[in-house]
Amino acid sequence: MKYVLKSDEMKACDNYTISRIGILSMVLMERAALSVVRVLEERNIQFKGKKVLVVSGVGNNGGDGLAIGRLLSPKGAEVTFYLEGNPDKLSKETKAQAEILKNMGFSIQSKYQDAEYDMVVDALFGIGLSREVTGSFREAIDYINRQKMRGAFVCSVDIPSGVCADTGRIFGCAVRADITVSFAFAKRGHLLYPGRACTGELAVRDIGITKEAFGLAAPSGFYYEKEDLRMLLPARCPWGNKGTFGKVLLIAGSRDMSGACLLCGKAVLRAGAGMLKIISPACNREIIQQSLPEALLYTFEEMPEEEAVEEALSWADVVVAGPGMGCTEAAYRLLSCVLANPFHPLVLDADGLNLIAMNGQLRKMAGRREGPLVLTPHPGELMRLLGAGMEEYPAKRENFIRELAKELKAVVVAKDAATMVTEDGREEIYFNTSGNSGMAAAGSGDVLAGIIGGLMAQGMGGFEGACVSVYLHGLAGDEACRQMGPYGMTAGDICESLPVVMKEACEAVNVITGMP
């Protein structure tokens, strides 16, 4: 697990490291510059004979840039230094870096040259930017981006200039980096769009700011990396049976909507659950039996029999409801039965969410449940649940997610290009880093709901199970994209790729036996 910080959290860590631990700011700056050079060297970027432009601002981010350029020069780079902003407002550390350059015979330009560069180091703004970029600063960003269009490799220092470190929004314009080297911890703006698109490859490097700098307050965000999976996936008991690994009841599908049911059901089993039972209208019986013979099945003609539904609920360890379910009277009755049994861990997806958005009584029942409740809305479903317009979504996304989690005492998996997961009463938010544009396909969300249900059936809690499921879902999408590319992959490909990424995690630790 890695932490994701907001700008004020990072500034507090800086201050603690300097004032309490006693590491000088200039030492941190030098380490930051060295880390950037090392990252570039690790990627086999050649400096000898290359023209490098360093674009610095007057804050400490600019000082990082000046130090980077100084370190690149002895490696054979022809470095041009450019300073944007009022020299009288240079920070103490950046002023010191400028003096070092002067003492070494370098000059710092105040006007751009009509030249083409092989590399541009973007050190214009750091994580403290909080206003629209205008005037000569906007011109500087435009100049960097024009150099990129001409073929220059762009490296941003800590965060691409123009990106909000807290939200990922663009302050009018932003540098489009090939790589961003962030110091100590990732920032939210690296992981949230559109800032994520400007970040390019993200490399986070240690410069001496440690977790001790958090004090008593842990950071408000985190994300996973592949190596975390070996500690997160539920162990497989070697003497277990199909009941040991959990029984999932899936309530899904309607007339002409059998696909969502099948995708979700397959994902439940691919995620490792031992047994699956499906409740669906009789029109789906034949295709389910042919396509998913591993599943138990209860089907009904017009209306489900309450006794049969109650029996299925008493059998299940976890319930997943909603994919392709529709919003008919039969769907309403099914969901009423589920919500009237308040102790099962429940995953509500798709039409399950639409039903509680449409019906106040169902919504109240959902909020009164005692068992874990996981909601998986995409942006449209989220805003319908909250009765708000989509125009409010980009600026207030986190507030909306937390509001829904609090109202329904739930885990909320807010699906998007960068999915976020939160839980009522929990401060930290999970930020997902896996996945790709090929996953923007019908049925992808049904697969995710199935993975969540499958992992929860194996004993994972609602929040942890949701976070791990989102990460696995994205990794499976990345594997499908690797094989097929983003244009032709389908939700079924994501489901079929899930065992591949889980197998890789099993190879890191013997999950089959549960032994290290």
Side-chain angles (χ1 to χ4, degrees):
M1 182 185 80
K2 301 291 185 183
Y3 291 111
V4 185
L5 272 61
K6 294 188 289 188
S7 59
D8 59 349
E9 293 172 331
M10 190 65 238
K11 289 174 185 176
C13 288
D14 281 335
N15 292 335
Y16 182 95
T17 302
I18 295 165
S19 62
R20 297 288 298 276
I21 295 178
I23 301 177
L24 298 177
S25 180
M26 282 294 285
V27 173
L28 293 176
M29 184 173 284
E30 200 69 14
R31 287 178 176 176
L34 284 165
S35 72
V36 172
V37 175
R38 289 194 188 109
V39 166
L40 296 174
E41 289 177 329
E42 288 166 5
R43 281 143 187 82
N44 296 317
I45 295 175
Q46 301 300 311
F47 306 120
K48 189 173 183 179
K50 302 297 184 181
K51 291 186 176 182
V52 177
L53 173 66
V54 175
V55 181
S56 290
V58 297
N60 277 4
N61 191 254
D64 293 337
L66 297 180
I68 291 164
R70 169 169 50 80
L71 294 172
L72 290 179
S73 182
K75 296 180 182 294
E78 183 183 327
V79 184
T80 299
F81 296 91
Y82 171 79
L83 180 69
E84 179 60 63
N86 186 346
D88 294 334
K89 294 184 178 181
L90 286 170
S91 71
K92 181 178 69 173
E93 291 80 8
T94 302
K95 185 175 183 179
Q97 292 290 352
E99 285 295 322
I100 292 171
L101 289 176
K102 180 180 178 181
N103 294 337
M104 294 179 67
F106 292 102
S107 61
I108 300 176
Q109 308 296 322
S110 58
K111 292 184 178 180
Y112 294 115
Q113 299 176 358
D114 185 16
E116 293 186 13
Y117 296 93
D118 300 297
M119 178 189 296
V120 180
V121 176
D122 159 38
L124 190 58
F125 297 120
I127 61 173
L129 183 66
S130 59
R131 64 186 185 279
E132 294 294 299
V133 178
T134 59
S136 62
F137 294 103
R138 187 182 187 102
E139 292 173 6
I141 289 176
D142 289 342
Y143 185 83
I144 294 171
N145 287 334
R146 286 199 302 274
Q147 290 293 329
K148 178 181 172 69
M149 292 177 65
R150 292 173 177 174
F153 182 89
V154 176
C155 174
S156 284
V157 178
D158 212 10
I159 196 164
S161 294
V163 172
C164 175
D166 290 349
T167 67
R169 66 166 286 204
I170 305 300
F171 287 118
C173 64
V175 169
R176 297 189 295 273
D178 293 292
I179 190 169
T180 298
V181 183
S182 181
F183 307 129
F185 307 101
K187 316 307 183 292
R188 290 185 176 201
H190 296 137
L191 307 184
L192 296 174
Y193 288 98
R196 185 164 165 175
C198 294
T199 298
E201 180 190 352
L202 175 63
V204 181
R205 289 296 181 266
D206 175 30
I207 61 170
I209 300 174
T210 64
K211 295 178 183 178
E212 284 70 28
F214 298 149
L216 298 177
S220 59
F222 70 98
Y223 63 99
Y224 291 138
E225 295 181 324
K226 282 187 177 181
E227 53 265 32
D228 296 318
L229 286 176
R230 67 188 208 60
M231 299 298 295
L232 294 170
L233 287 179
R236 302 287 289 186
C237 175
W239 57 88
N241 55 55
K242 59 187 178 183
T244 304
F245 302 115
K247 296 174 285 187
V248 177
L249 175 63
L250 172 60
I251 303 174
S254 57
R255 181 173 296 278
D256 298 328
M257 286 290 287
S258 60
C261 174
L262 291 172
L263 287 166
C264 188
K266 287 180 179 179
V268 166
L269 297 175
R270 291 295 194 191
M275 300 181 73
L276 170 67
K277 186 168 188 174
I278 297 175
I279 297 180
S280 194
C283 56
N284 292 326
R285 181 191 298 119
E286 186 174 345
I287 189 170
I288 293 173
Q289 289 175 330
Q290 290 177 349
S291 302
L292 199 54
E294 299 90 347
L296 302 172
L297 193 59
Y298 164 64
T299 61
F300 58 90
E301 291 295 342
E302 296 296 328
M303 289 291 169
E305 296 178 7
E306 186 173 336
E307 184 177 340
V309 177
E310 292 286 352
E311 182 180 341
L313 286 167
S314 66
W315 168 87
D317 298 313
V318 175
V319 179
V320 179
M325 187 179 179
C327 295
T328 62
E329 178 63 24
Y332 169 80
R333 290 193 185 183
L334 279 169
L335 191 54
S336 295
C337 286
V338 171
L339 295 176
N341 288 264
F343 301 107
H344 283 95
L346 172 62
V347 180
L348 274 187
D349 181 51
D351 287 325
L353 300 171
N354 292 329
L355 282 165
I356 66 170
M358 294 163 54
N359 188 285
Q361 182 59 32
L362 290 179
R363 192 182 186 114
K364 288 179 182 177
M365 292 172 71
R368 291 197 296 261
R369 297 187 80 258
E370 296 183 35
L373 175 61
V374 179
L375 311 176
T376 60
H378 59 55
E381 291 164 345
L382 176 68
M383 302 315 280
R384 280 197 294 274
L385 281 163
L386 294 170
M390 282 301 299
E391 66 277 1
E392 299 180 72
Y393 173 79
K396 300 180 180 179
R397 183 187 180 197
E398 182 178 337
N399 292 339
F400 286 136
I401 297 166
R402 289 190 182 277
E403 179 183 338
L404 183 62
K406 182 177 181 180
E407 179 199 345
L408 297 180
K409 301 177 179 62
V411 173
V412 176
V413 179
K415 297 183 294 193
D416 206 332
T419 294
M420 297 164 66
V421 183
T422 191
E423 181 180 29
D424 176 41
R426 186 184 294 269
E427 180 62 28
E428 66 266 35
I429 291 183
Y430 170 75
F431 294 84
N432 192 50
T433 58
S434 61
N436 59 82
S437 64
M439 299 178 70
S444 180
D446 304 317
V447 173
L448 174 59
I451 298 172
I452 297 172
L455 290 186
M456 290 179 68
Q458 296 170 76
M460 296 194 76
F463 181 73
E464 184 184 41
C467 295
V468 174
S469 296
V470 169
Y471 187 54
L472 280 172
H473 182 246
L475 289 179
D478 290 337
E479 174 64 21
C481 187
R482 185 186 68 80
Q483 295 183 31
M484 303 179 181
Y487 294 96
M489 58 183 281
T490 65
D493 298 324
I494 300 171
C495 192
E496 295 306 314
S497 297
L498 180 62
V500 177
V501 298
M502 295 185 79
K503 179 175 179 290
E504 289 178 356
C506 291
E507 290 170 350
V509 62
N510 194 346
V511 178
I512 301 300
T513 64
M515 298 293 288

